[in-house]
Amino acid sequence: MKRAFAQLRWFRRLRIRWEIRDGTHKAFLTLGCALICWRRLNSAASR
């Protein structure tokens, strides 16, 4: 769990909240989580 939060810090748009609307911020957070999952699945599949 801590590793996932550390990886979310690499997404600049999530580190500093630029969006005024909550829905936009939540969408970028969801996208960041999806990208982290995608990367983990790709690295596990290539082993």
Side-chain angles (χ1 to χ4, degrees):
M1 185 74 140
K2 290 181 183 180
R3 184 177 176 186
F5 284 121
Q7 289 176 338
L8 279 174
R9 291 191 60 180
W10 286 103
F11 294 102
R12 182 173 180 238
R13 191 155 190 143
L14 293 176
R15 275 188 287 165
I16 301 170
R17 187 167 176 192
W18 298 102
E19 292 83 17
I20 296 171
R21 295 172 36 192
D22 290 336
T24 307
H25 182 72
K26 185 178 177 182
F28 279 113
L29 182 62
T30 304
L31 181 61
C33 291
L35 286 172
I36 290 170
C37 290
W38 178 258
R39 290 175 186 166
R40 283 189 184 179
L41 287 172
N42 278 342
S43 68
S46 65
R47 291 182 189 174

